């Protein structure tokens, strides 16, 4: 037992889930270490760009006074339905998005995550960066008792380990919480570019009145070649986050190069004018776990819990993830605090984590949209056929050819029939409703 | 591989994608390359040689995988952004993928 490096709790990964857990535990008086493989918190992290603040307010009620490095509040948001040469925009802008702190901000993770980690450090957590956890340490009964790292004599011990390792769930598998790797049909691959643009220019292009306004657009249809997936365009302080994401399986099946799909999206006649003259400052890629409620790992074992992407906590339909991660991290942290009080780190005790989480939006939303990934995969026409159809119909509707309107209506209906039978449409709508209602 | 798209969407195979020189994108990324340790290795070159579709040549977002003129699979792990796609999408599970040593690999400036 001599010289064993021991803490009350170990957190693997300094992303939103891990930091929320560490912050909660440190404030509860535990001696906590966060182990992060990047050179700083956030070095390995990338997402589309919209961050929802409600979960942050729960763990850090005074976050606004701590000046989080947000890019822009989201004051206008919605969808573009993009066909090869047209777009239908369904955007929502409201004065009610204007009050700050806002419900949602665009965020760049290499700026935001270090700030969030600092708050945990300020609360007393120890953050160790540049250190990769190589394996979980278990006792003779299989209980997790610590982690080994790639530092010399790098073993660290604690009665409870919170895994917040992200989508590449190597430790979650090692803990026996999930049986195998995520199959490529339940994981999305997203690529993104950060394009620099002077704030004034950006504001003029997107119709923003100043730096306290921002736009978040999710794009369906031609952005992903009509395949299930989305494109996105988010305004940052002085730049644009633009990207595309599709199930990894689609890239494999159709032999698509992700960066070429993105380039095509950037060159779309509707998109290009927004990017004109902008400089690509960064390119990146990340996986998104979209396996859904029914294929999540077990959330707790003896001496171990898992939170965030590693646990598949993503609501792809609403582009939510970091808020699920923060809420889950907080509850995992609270469970660890209770476990210390009870002196019980068994899987049975730690299963309270899941019970609490069932009472929150995290698992309730995941449960509701449990069929979403399967639905999109089995109904690819939603992103292709329907989006094109809507654009065709709009073109007929808005042009005057000297044709009676009744004839035009018939033409539109005929168009629908040609591309998808009415029973096909009815069936699709039924499936969509099932996927939405849970 | 899959025929579920038949008759449902515009034929993706007919869409011509713009050519992108991946090096132009990689160059704007910051890496701390671990020169001594490749964190991605091919388990068995024979498996890659026999793999007909070789989907990794396309789906890898950093174009880490390329065959040389003898048909050997080359791995430019230095350009890897650690997404993990090859770890799970190699049809023969022939990629030995680990996390780079602490502090190494990609370091996003924006993310």
């Amino acid at each position: 037992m001599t010289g064993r490096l021991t803490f009350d709790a170990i957190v693997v990964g300094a992303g939103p889930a891990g930091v929320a857990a560490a912050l909660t535990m440190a404030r509860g008086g535990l001696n906590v270490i966060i182990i992060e493989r990047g050179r700083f918190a956030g070095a390995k992290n990338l997402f589309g760009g919209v961050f929802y603040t409600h979960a942050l307010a729960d763990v850090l009620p005074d976050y606004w006074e701590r000046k989080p490095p947000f890019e822009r509040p989201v004051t206008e948001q919605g969808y573009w339905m993009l066909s090869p040469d047209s777009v239908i925009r369904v955007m929502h802008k409201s004065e009610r998005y204007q009050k700050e702190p806002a419900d949602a901000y665009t965020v760049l993770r290499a700026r935001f995550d270090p700030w969030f980690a600092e708050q945990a450090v300020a609360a007393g957590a120890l953050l160790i960066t540049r250190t990769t956890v190589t394996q979980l340490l278990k006792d003779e009964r299989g209980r997790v008792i610590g982690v080994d790292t790639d530092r010399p004599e790098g073993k660290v011990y604690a009665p409870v380990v919170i895994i917040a390792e992200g989508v590449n769930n190597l430790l979650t598998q090692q803990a026996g919480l999930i049986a195998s790797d995520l199959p490529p049909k339940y994981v999305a691959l997203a690529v993104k570019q950060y394009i620099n643009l002077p704030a004034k220019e950006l504001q003029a292009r997107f119709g923003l009145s100043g730096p306290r306004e921002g736009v978040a657009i999710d794009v369906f249809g031609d952005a992903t070649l009509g395949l299930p997936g989305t494109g996105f365009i988010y305004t940052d302080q002085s730049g644009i986050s633009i990207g595309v994401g599709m199930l990894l399986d689609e890239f494999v099946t159709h032999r698509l190069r992700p960066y070429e799909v993105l380039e095509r999206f950037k060159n779309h006649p509707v998109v290009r004018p927004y990017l004109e003259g902008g400089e690509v400052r960064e390119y990146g890629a990340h996986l998104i776990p979209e396996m859904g409620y029914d294929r999540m790992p077990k959330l707790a074992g003896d001496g171990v819990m898992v939170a965030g992407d590693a646990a598949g906590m993503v609501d792809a339909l609403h582009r939510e993830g970091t808020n699920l991660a923060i809420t889950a991290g907080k509850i995992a942290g609270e469970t660890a605090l209770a476990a210390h009080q009870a002196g019980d780190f068994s899987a049975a005790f730690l299963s309270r984590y899941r019970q609490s989480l069932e009472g929150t939006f995290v698992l309730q939303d995941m449960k509701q949209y449990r069929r979403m990934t399967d639905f999109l995969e089995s109904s690819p026409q939603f992103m292709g056929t329907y989006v094109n159809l809507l654009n065709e119909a709009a073109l007929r509707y808005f042009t005057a050819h000297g044709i009676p309107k009744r004839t035009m209506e018939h033409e539109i209906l005929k168009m629908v029939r040609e591309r998808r039978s009415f029973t096909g449409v009815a069936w699709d709508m039924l499936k969509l409703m099932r996927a939405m209602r849970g | 591989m899959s025929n579920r798209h038949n008759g449902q969407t515009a034929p993706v195979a007919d869409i011509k994608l713009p050519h992108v020189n991946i090096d132009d994108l990689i160059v704007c990324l910051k890496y701390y390359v671990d020169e001594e340790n490749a964190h991605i290795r091919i388990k068995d070159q024979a498996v890659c040689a026999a793999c007909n579709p070789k989907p990794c040549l396309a789906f890898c977002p950093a174009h880490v995988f390329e065959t040389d003129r003898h048909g050997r699979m080359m791995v430019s792990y230095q350009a890897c952004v650690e997404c993990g796609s090859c770890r799970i999408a190699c049809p023969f599970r022939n990629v030995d993928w680990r996390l780079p040593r602490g502090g190494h690999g990609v370091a996003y400036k924006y993310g």
Side-chain angles (χ1 to χ4, degrees), chain B residues 38-86:
Chain B
H39 72 283
I40 304 174
R41 290 163 207 252
I42 299 300
K43 290 181 193 165
D44 182 354
Q45 281 288 348
V47 171
C48 288
C51 174
N52 188 24
K54 293 190 182 37
C56 60
L57 302 185
F59 72 67
C60 170
H63 199 81
V64 162
F65 302 93
E66 191 53 272
T67 48
D68 71 6
R69 53 201 173 87
H70 308 293
R72 273 180 66 87
M73 188 62 77
M74 310 297 287
V75 182
S76 308
Y77 73 93
Q78 298 88 340
C80 174
V81 293
E82 299 154 43
C83 70
S85 296
C86 58

Side-chain angles (χ1 to χ4, degrees), chain A residues 310-321:
Chain A
M313 293 173 181
V314 162
D315 172 358
L317 180 66
H318 297 93
R319 55 162 189 239
E320 291 180 34

Side-chain angles (χ1 to χ4, degrees), chain A residues 37 39-40 43-46 108-111 130-132 150 168-170 181-182 184 187 189 191-194 225-227 248 250 252 254-260 263-264 281-285 287 377 380-381 385 420, chain B residues 1-2 4-5 8-10 12 15-20 22 25-26 28-29 32 53-55 57-63 81-85 87-89 93 97 99-111:
Chain A
R37 68 190 184 89
R39 299 176 81 83
F40 53 89
K44 305 290 183 184
N45 299 352
L46 176 141
L108 295 167
R109 296 290 297 280
R111 290 177 180 168
R130 307 183 187 207
T131 306
T132 300
D150 63 354
N168 285 299
N169 58 0
L170 306 173
D181 286 330
L182 308 178
V187 180
L189 169 61
V191 290
K192 163 182 170 175
Q193 289 180 7
Y194 173 71
L225 318 178
L227 295 168
L248 183 49
E250 303 288 352
V252 173
H254 301 287
R255 286 195 69 82
L256 298 168
R257 295 190 157 92
Y259 38 92
E260 291 184 353
E263 190 63 23
R264 181 173 174 279
R281 287 288 167 85
E282 191 167 79
Y283 164 75
L287 293 181
E377 229 217 356
Q381 62 276 11
T385 309
R420 190 107 177 105
Chain B
M1 253 179 220
S2 158
R4 63 175 192 278
H5 298 294
Q8 306 279 17
T9 50
V12 173
I15 297 175
K16 178 129 177 59
L17 293 177
H19 174 74
V20 174
I22 187 68
L25 294 174
I26 296 299
C28 64
L29 277 164
Y32 295 87
K54 293 190 182 37
L57 302 185
F59 72 67
C60 170
H63 199 81
V81 293
E82 299 154 43
C83 70
S85 296
R87 189 175 70 79
I88 57 175
R93 314 302 308 251
W97 190 97
L99 295 171
R101 286 196 295 170
H104 290 92
V106 73
Y108 286 122
K109 290 171 294 192
Y110 301 96

Side-chain angles (χ1 to χ4, degrees), chain A residues 135-156:
Chain A
Q135 62 171 335
L136 294 172
L137 300 173
K138 296 179 186 173
D139 68 7
E140 68 288 346
R141 288 170 56 189
R143 296 177 296 202
V144 174
I145 52 166
V147 300
D148 198 0
T149 69
D150 63 354
R151 296 268 181 132
E153 296 176 40
K155 290 189 172 67
V156 186

